[in-house]
Amino acid sequence: MGTEHRVTAESEVAEICRDLIRIDTSNYGDGSGPGERKAAEYVAEQLAEFGLEPQIFESAKGRASTVVRIEGEDRSRPGLLIHGHTDVVPANADDWTVHPFSGEITDGCVWGRGAVDMKDMDAMTLAVVRDRLRTGRKPPRDLVLAFLADEEAGGTYGARFLVDRHPELFEGVTEAIGEVGGFSFTVNDQARLYLVETAEKGMHWMRLTVEGRAGHGSMENDDNAITELCEAVARLGRHQFPLRITKTVRAFLDELSDALGVRLDPEDMDETLRVLGGIAKMIGTTLRNTAQPTMLGAGYKVNVIPGQATAHVDGRFLPGYEEEFLAELDSVLGPRVKRESLHYDKALETSFDGALVEAMQTALRAEDPIARAVPYCLSGGTDAKSFQDLGIRCFGFAPLQLPPDLDFAGMFHGVDERVPVDGLKFGVRVLDRFIDLA
């Protein structure tokens, strides 16, 4: 008679991750959101199997999110939110080694779009919660789980919709964990840093417009809108904003200096970024405000000088530096350029202290004795921007132990996105312990 093996979080997390990847939830930014409803239903089924009653909220046709509250042992304590998004950026299958929606497991990794952004954390959360329900282990305090649509296009149909229309779902919640944090960076044999996101840059997506004098292409024209705009865009594209060391970046550099046993000079970041290797691209962009031209548009016929030219710019500003960013931006562009906002999100920053941070550190060290949790600033944005409006203190903590040679930062929105199966198993062990300590 064979011995039956009990299903555990570790044993099923990779399969759940595969299931989620195989649901094509590509977000094209056009409001269509194919696949998000199917993903929301899959999540709800996984939770309902053990007696929970998850709710699916559809903000527009197909744009669905799943939310459930799990009662804790002490309901007088504030609740904890664990949030993740189910949508992903599109992927071109021709560019990939394996099909991006296959969920293939090879070379010890689960491959596919969303493997690190962020169906890995969705899978870890589901696996841990299912195991706790299976074994009758209640969390110390209420947990609210939110699996959200539309994060990749700003969260309008997901987190923002729920915060604006259904804030009661998060009543009593004071803290949250979500994506782009808790992953490892191996410094040496004695130190492995786990980067916890405590800050995010803000966002200004904007349209630039220059009005000029329309005319025939064969004529001289000293008021050509295209010329004026291109000169302004070129100035902006080549402009380097000044170095600004925020308290989060300072704390990260202090922790890294201590781990390396050397002093890192914030005024000379070249050596620091060299030491950081693959994650340098994540840290380097948190040292300055940035404004990257991304689109140009003008004209309709080769022999007609248009009266208007436009450009689009992706602007990101550090916490505390929004006014400086906008003033410098206008100075670089000049008075002829009209600037209008298309999408805005604030910058966030919280301190790296308190019981929740201690729980992260303890949970990590229990699984990795050389672990050290350190704060860092994310150059992009997450759904934390919406939840912060409810007074919720947000952290990026999706724990993963990664091989030192894996270009984790390059996986986000990149080709051949993948997550190690062992990393997922490590993550569920840490997440389970963290819930007990949080």
Side-chain angles (χ1 to χ4, degrees), residues 41 70 80 105 108 140 143 162 183 219-220 226 234 274 294 322 326 362:
E41 290 172 351
I70 303 172
L80 172 69
I105 296 180
L143 288 183
L162 293 178
F183 56 91
M219 300 292 185
E220 291 187 357
I226 293 178
R274 186 191 66 78
T294 55
E322 181 177 6
L326 293 175
T362 301

Side-chain angles (χ1 to χ4, degrees), residues 136-173:
R137 292 180 295 135
K138 292 184 79 171
R141 54 170 162 161
D142 278 14
L143 288 183
V144 176
L145 310 181
F147 299 84
L148 304 158
D150 198 38
E151 190 276 343
E152 296 293 1
T156 302
Y157 293 97
R160 174 50 54 192
F161 170 79
L162 293 178
V163 166
D164 289 346
R165 300 283 293 275
H166 299 281
E168 71 282 355
L169 295 169
F170 311 101
E171 185 175 353
V173 172

Side-chain angles (χ1 to χ4, degrees), residues 389-403:
D389 286 351
L390 296 177
I392 298 173
R393 188 183 181 204
C394 298
F395 298 86
F397 185 66
L400 285 175
Q401 188 180 104
L402 301 167

Side-chain angles (χ1 to χ4, degrees), residues 67-293:
V67 183
V68 69
R69 182 180 288 258
I70 303 172
E71 291 188 6
E73 294 282 0
D74 184 355
R75 304 213 67 198
S76 67
R77 291 184 60 194
L80 172 69
L81 169 66
I82 301 178
H83 63 94
H85 62 85
T86 60
D87 66 318
V88 297
V89 295
N92 182 358
D94 292 340
D95 297 334
W96 285 59
T97 303
V98 303
H99 195 282
F101 299 105
S102 66
E104 183 174 323
I105 296 180
T106 187
D107 296 332
C109 293
V110 183
W111 294 58
R113 177 58 86 220
V116 300
D117 186 16
M118 63 170 293
K119 290 179 176 179
D120 57 342
M121 179 58 171
D122 295 335
M124 289 191 291
T125 302
L126 285 171
V128 167
V129 167
R130 281 166 57 86
D131 193 61
R132 296 182 72 93
L133 294 168
R134 190 185 290 120
T135 55
R137 292 180 295 135
K138 292 184 79 171
R141 54 170 162 161
D142 278 14
L143 288 183
V144 176
L145 310 181
F147 299 84
L148 304 158
D150 198 38
E151 190 276 343
E152 296 293 1
T156 302
Y157 293 97
R160 174 50 54 192
F161 170 79
L162 293 178
V163 166
D164 289 346
R165 300 283 293 275
H166 299 281
E168 71 282 355
L169 295 169
F170 311 101
E171 185 175 353
V173 172
T174 57
E175 296 169 310
I177 61 169
E179 64 174 326
V180 205
F183 56 91
S184 68
F185 167 62
T186 301
V187 177
N188 50 45
D189 292 340
Q190 288 77 45
R192 192 161 21 245
L193 306 184
Y194 287 81
L195 279 65
V196 176
E197 187 223 298
T198 59
E200 297 182 4
K201 290 177 88 171
M203 174 194 300
H204 275 289
W205 287 349
M206 62 196 84
R207 181 189 294 114
L208 309 180
T209 305
V210 170
E211 305 285 347
R213 187 172 68 251
H216 198 287
S218 67
M219 300 292 185
E220 291 187 357
N221 188 323
D222 60 2
D223 190 22
N224 188 312
I226 293 178
T227 303
E228 186 73 34
L229 178 73
C230 286
E231 288 176 347
V233 168
R235 288 194 302 272
L236 183 62
R238 295 190 182 101
H239 181 71
Q240 186 174 67
F241 289 81
L243 190 72
R244 295 288 182 256
I245 305 299
T246 63
K247 67 178 183 180
T248 295
V249 172
R250 168 66 71 181
F252 171 79
L253 293 175
D254 288 345
E255 291 281 1
L256 182 60
S257 296
D258 187 58
L260 290 170
V262 298
R263 183 181 180 277
L264 298 172
D265 183 2
E267 300 302 321
D268 179 15
M269 291 303 298
D270 289 342
E271 176 61 18
T272 300
L273 296 178
R274 186 191 66 78
V275 169
L276 291 174
I279 65 167
K281 64 188 77 173
M282 296 183 73
I283 302 302
T285 51
T286 65
L287 304 175
R288 309 173 191 274
N289 297 324
T290 60
Q292 294 292 346

